Amino acid sequence: MDDQRDRPPSEPRPQDRAAFPRHRPRRTAGLRLRAPPQRRHGSVQAYVSARFAEAQGQVSGTRLFLEIRARGYRGSRQVVRKHLAALRAGTTEPVRADIPSPRKITSWIMRPREALTESQEERLLQVRLACPGIARACDLARVFADLVRHRRGYLLLERIRQADQDAPKPMTGFAGFLRQELDAVTAGLTLPWSSGAVEGHVNRVKTPDRAVYGRASPGLLQVRIITQP
């Protein structure tokens, strides 16, 4: 009786625990809950639409399914039949274009042309045709990259003037910053020397500083910096 009197009111007695359902929470610690994979039918629909237009509607769903199956498609046959029926009825929705990401477009622009594959050149050409602003930015970015690679600093002022005329607004602002530090940027694009060695020494000092921060005195840090080769 004393044990039952001392128990907190919220805790059930041992003989009453059987009356309470025991709901054990699912153990998810250390597990990563993943959403079910989403099937992408855009490329399949684009292929079916292209083959439908090429054959002028005289193509079967089974044949199309076998063709895309050979190309690696592992989806349902119903997707092909549904889209083909919509094409024949004229009720199909336009297929969403495969638009490359800004980072991918930037990598295509900044890379040398000889380093791009035929597919990448074709995609970049499509982007340039779709957006004249990107086309002009692409030309100016490649000109500036050529100045950096070949150290043609004597052409910098001329390129800045060209950017001031018809460049997109972000590149016009970039050209203004270059104009403010024209002498330093011209020297960096002309001379073979750089501040890379200085930056290396700064990093050599900061690395042990971060390693012993809050755990050692400045004297130990000084010894580690001096003795480090």
Side-chain angles (χ1 to χ4, degrees), residues 198-210:
V198 178
E199 296 296 334
H201 287 297
V202 171
N203 184 68
R204 184 175 65 87
V205 173
K206 287 185 176 180
T207 300
D209 183 18
R210 296 190 186 100

Side-chain angles (χ1 to χ4, degrees), residues 77-87 91-92:
R77 187 191 299 259
Q78 187 66 22
V79 175
V80 180
R81 290 180 177 178
K82 185 177 180 180
H83 186 65
L84 185 60
L87 287 173
T91 59
T92 180

Side-chain angles (χ1 to χ4, degrees), residues 36-227:
Q38 298 180 357
R39 297 180 179 178
R40 298 181 179 179
H41 304 310
S43 58
V44 176
Q45 294 177 354
Y47 181 82
V48 173
S49 299
R51 290 285 289 111
F52 182 83
E54 180 183 352
Q56 298 181 356
Q58 304 298 323
V59 63
S60 65
T62 303
R63 181 176 179 180
L64 289 177
F65 177 75
L66 294 177
E67 289 180 4
I68 62 176
R69 187 83 172 179
R71 294 172 178 262
Y73 177 67
R74 295 296 179 266
S76 172
R77 187 191 299 259
Q78 187 66 22
V79 175
V80 180
R81 290 180 177 178
K82 185 177 180 180
H83 186 65
L84 185 60
L87 287 173
R88 290 171 177 168
T91 59
T92 180
E93 298 180 359
V95 179
R96 185 183 229 178
D98 184 14
I99 302 176
S101 64
R103 178 174 295 183
K104 186 175 294 186
I105 296 175
T106 304
S107 67
W108 294 341
I109 293 175
M110 299 308 299
R111 259 188 269 173
R113 296 182 180 179
E114 57 272 12
L116 297 177
T117 63
E118 294 183 1
S119 175
Q120 292 172 346
E121 290 182 358
E122 183 179 357
R123 296 292 302 278
L124 181 58
L125 179 60
Q126 294 175 357
V127 174
R128 290 171 59 96
L129 295 176
C131 183
I134 292 183
R136 182 56 180 160
C138 176
D139 295 336
L140 294 174
R142 284 181 167 175
V143 167
F144 185 77
D146 184 72
L147 296 181
V148 175
R149 293 190 186 102
H150 302 286
R151 295 179 183 172
R152 297 173 179 173
Y154 59 91
L155 297 175
L156 178 62
L157 184 58
E158 180 183 353
R159 304 308 182 193
I160 291 177
R161 291 171 180 171
Q162 293 178 359
D164 290 336
Q165 295 177 1
D166 57 351
K169 189 174 180 179
M171 301 199 73
T172 304
F174 176 70
F177 287 121
L178 293 180
R179 190 186 295 273
Q180 294 176 5
E181 303 290 341
L182 183 61
D183 294 338
V185 178
T186 303
L189 296 178
T190 306
L191 302 177
W193 301 288
S194 68
S195 61
V198 178
E199 296 296 334
H201 287 297
V202 171
N203 184 68
R204 184 175 65 87
V205 173
K206 287 185 176 180
T207 300
D209 183 18
R210 296 190 186 100
V212 301
Y213 179 77
R215 296 183 296 174
S217 62
L220 177 60
L221 176 62
Q222 182 179 5
V223 172
R224 293 191 59 179
I225 294 175
I226 293 176
T227 58

